[in-house]
Amino acid sequence: MPLNYSIAMMGNPLKKEEPKKAYAKAQTNGRIDVKELSAQIASKCTVHQADVSAVLIATTECMLEGLKAGKQVGFGELGAFRLQINSGGAPSADQFTSDYIKGVNIQFIPGEELQVIFQGLKFNLVPTRAAQAAVIKAQKAGETTVDISGKNGSSDSESPDEI
């Protein structure tokens, strides 16, 4: 099954004078919540869906506790999670304080099986969500042309420069 993507025109924020370049952006087509995930897991083993849901919720809580304690949390062949600190730079080590820390992200390190699973993946170009929404809006209004430039005031989670 191919992975859907759209194209976004993005500039380098550090070099604003350089022209924008085209980049691929993965397009998700839905979300699996804990209820659906637990149902799928339950269908593949002898554990009931309610038990799977309880384990998934407890796993998330334990993972967060481990991350807060500064531990890397492993999930076997799936991979591991750890915290990554984002900070600004101080002039020297003795001048660095926690005030330079701007935030913390959770970093996922894929296991060996996940690292190779994408080697044969195919890709499928699709319109951006903003372009899809513009087409549907035009169809409903009976219009035969569509403005997908992003300059018509529509808001979307994607950049207006995406094509």
Side-chain angles (χ1 to χ4, degrees):
M1 175 181 292
L3 177 64
N4 288 342
Y5 73 96
S6 61
I7 300 171
M9 296 302 294
M10 296 186 293
N12 183 340
L14 300 177
K15 299 178 181 176
K16 295 181 191 268
E17 69 282 353
E18 289 185 359
K20 292 182 177 182
K21 295 181 181 179
Y23 294 91
K25 291 188 78 163
Q27 291 291 322
T28 59
N29 62 0
R31 183 181 171 124
I32 297 176
D33 62 13
V34 170
K35 185 175 181 180
E36 185 178 346
L37 182 60
S38 62
Q40 289 179 9
I41 293 170
S43 73
K44 297 182 184 308
C45 62
T46 60
V47 181
H48 292 278
Q49 181 180 350
D51 298 323
V52 174
S53 292
V55 169
L56 289 173
I57 291 167
T59 299
T60 302
E61 292 171 0
C62 292
M63 181 182 89
L64 293 174
E65 289 171 10
L67 291 172
K68 286 179 184 177
K71 306 227 184 273
Q72 179 170 299
V73 181
F75 284 85
E77 292 301 313
L78 177 65
F81 295 87
R82 66 180 176 205
L83 293 182
Q84 183 177 36
I85 294 176
N86 298 325
S87 73
S92 66
D94 63 331
Q95 292 178 327
F96 189 91
T97 67
S98 61
D99 292 337
Y100 282 94
I101 296 175
K102 299 178 189 288
V104 179
N105 292 323
I106 297 175
Q107 181 183 25
F108 174 67
I109 302 98
E112 287 183 29
E113 288 184 28
L114 285 182
Q115 290 178 14
V116 298
I117 197 169
F118 301 116
Q119 286 179 350
L121 190 62
K122 305 276 188 247
F123 300 96
N124 182 42
L125 177 61
V126 298
T128 65
R129 287 184 290 277
Q132 292 172 29
V135 169
I136 291 170
K137 182 178 178 183
Q139 284 177 326
K140 287 182 177 182
E143 298 172 2
T144 58
T145 60
V146 180
D147 177 12
I148 60 169
S149 67
K151 297 174 184 165
N152 59 2
S154 65
S155 64
D156 193 324
S157 62
E158 297 172 335
S159 165
D161 294 325
E162 293 186 15
I163 56 172

